[in-house]
Amino acid sequence: MKKLAFTISFILILGIQFGFSNESLSQFQKATAAYDSSNYSDAIWLYNNLLQEDIILSDLHYNLGNAYFKLNDVPRAILNYEKAIKNDPNNEDAAYNLSLANAKTVDKIEGIPDLFLYRWWKAVFNLFAADTWAKITVSLLFIAVVFFALYFFSAMLGMKKLGFYLGVIFIALGFVSWFLAAQQNSYLNTQQYAIIIEPTVNIKSSPSAGSSKLFVLHEGTKVKIENQTNDWLEVSIPNGNKGWIEAELLEGI
């Protein structure tokens, strides 16, 4: 299991980049100290308090996942590792620990292979987090402005052509990057997937307690949310099976 994410630089990022209060920084340090002292329940309580303050960071979910894993609360460990990866697709430590946690689950569901284009798009989409894509967008548009300035102010025809074409190319790349940033931001603010947190749940044929049982899933299994009706969610699993489950039996990623 990969170690807890806690560095001086992370604390500085919390305080400087996001402007969090001294109290939040102190609480994060206390949570980490509790974890280091094997007081995992206290660490979980403190980390969850930070999340209630809308402090949503990949490393925070990663640390929380580690604390749950130490207490053998596998479904909530998986939930927080998934959230860590959702906030930062390049969080390799969270991905590694997620694989360890998934190995402890009961359901081993083989998925239908994705189409090549979808796999390619997903790989590009997950290259960076939303804020990184946004920074790339600003950088690309700035470069485009520089080349357009070359086009407008250069007296040499060759340089004007170079400035124009490169300006167009970098603007196009900037819009692609902006689109990816927007898509990542939308993905962060929607719950498309969820983790089952109860030991065993029955997946029903319709959103009713009296409906027939289709199949059974167990804690820690990841499902895709397809639809919602009142307190029921229609979910699907990687092999294509679908059914209804009470919303209180799972938590959204």
Side-chain angles (χ1 to χ4, degrees), residues 19 41 71 77 88 109 117 151 164 178 220 232:
S41 295
L71 293 180
D88 179 9
I109 304 168
L117 287 177
Y151 165 74
F164 176 79
W178 171 82
W232 288 79

Side-chain angles (χ1 to χ4, degrees), residues 121-152:
W121 163 252
K122 190 175 180 180
V124 173
F125 179 77
N126 287 325
L127 277 175
F128 305 108
D131 58 342
T132 303
W133 279 119
K135 292 174 183 177
I136 291 173
T137 300
V138 172
S139 299
L140 290 170
L141 293 179
F142 175 78
I143 294 172
V145 169
V146 171
F147 280 117
F148 277 124
L150 179 65
Y151 165 74
F152 282 112

Side-chain angles (χ1 to χ4, degrees), residues 46-223:
L46 290 164
Y47 285 136
N48 277 317
N49 278 351
L50 287 170
L51 290 174
Q52 290 176 5
E53 296 176 18
D54 291 330
I55 301 175
I56 310 298
L57 293 172
S58 179
D59 283 344
L60 182 54
H61 279 296
Y62 171 69
N63 289 355
L64 184 55
N66 287 343
Y68 277 122
F69 191 87
K70 289 292 187 179
L71 293 180
N72 204 35
D73 190 340
V74 174
R76 287 182 175 82
I78 290 174
L79 175 68
N80 282 281
Y81 291 144
E82 289 279 4
K83 287 184 177 182
I85 295 169
K86 183 176 181 179
N87 280 275
D88 179 9
N90 295 312
N91 192 328
E92 295 180 357
D93 290 344
Y96 177 80
N97 286 359
L98 175 61
S99 68
L100 296 181
N102 279 329
K104 291 177 170 287
T105 60
V106 174
D107 300 320
K108 310 297 181 186
I109 304 168
E110 293 294 330
I112 300 172
D114 295 323
L115 295 174
F116 166 75
L117 287 177
Y118 179 77
R119 293 199 306 270
W120 176 84
W121 163 252
K122 190 175 180 180
V124 173
F125 179 77
N126 287 325
L127 277 175
F128 305 108
D131 58 342
T132 303
W133 279 119
K135 292 174 183 177
I136 291 173
T137 300
V138 172
S139 299
L140 290 170
L141 293 179
F142 175 78
I143 294 172
V145 169
V146 171
F147 280 117
F148 277 124
L150 179 65
Y151 165 74
F152 282 112
F153 297 110
S154 177
M156 300 174 60
L157 180 59
M159 295 300 290
K160 289 178 75 71
K161 287 183 177 179
L162 180 66
F164 176 79
Y165 288 120
L166 288 178
V168 170
I169 289 171
F170 276 96
I171 276 192
L173 291 174
F175 276 110
V176 170
S177 180
W178 171 82
F179 176 76
L180 288 168
Q183 290 295 303
Q184 275 278 9
N185 187 64
S186 175
Y187 173 64
L188 284 174
N189 290 294
T190 57
Q191 292 184 342
Q192 297 179 330
Y193 294 89
I195 302 296
I196 292 175
I197 58 173
E198 291 297 316
T200 304
V201 297
N202 295 323
I203 306 302
K204 302 284 190 171
S205 60
S206 63
S208 169
S211 60
S212 59
K213 179 178 72 174
L214 296 178
F215 51 95
V216 175
L217 293 177
H218 302 86
E219 62 181 2
T221 300
K222 182 179 179 179
V223 297

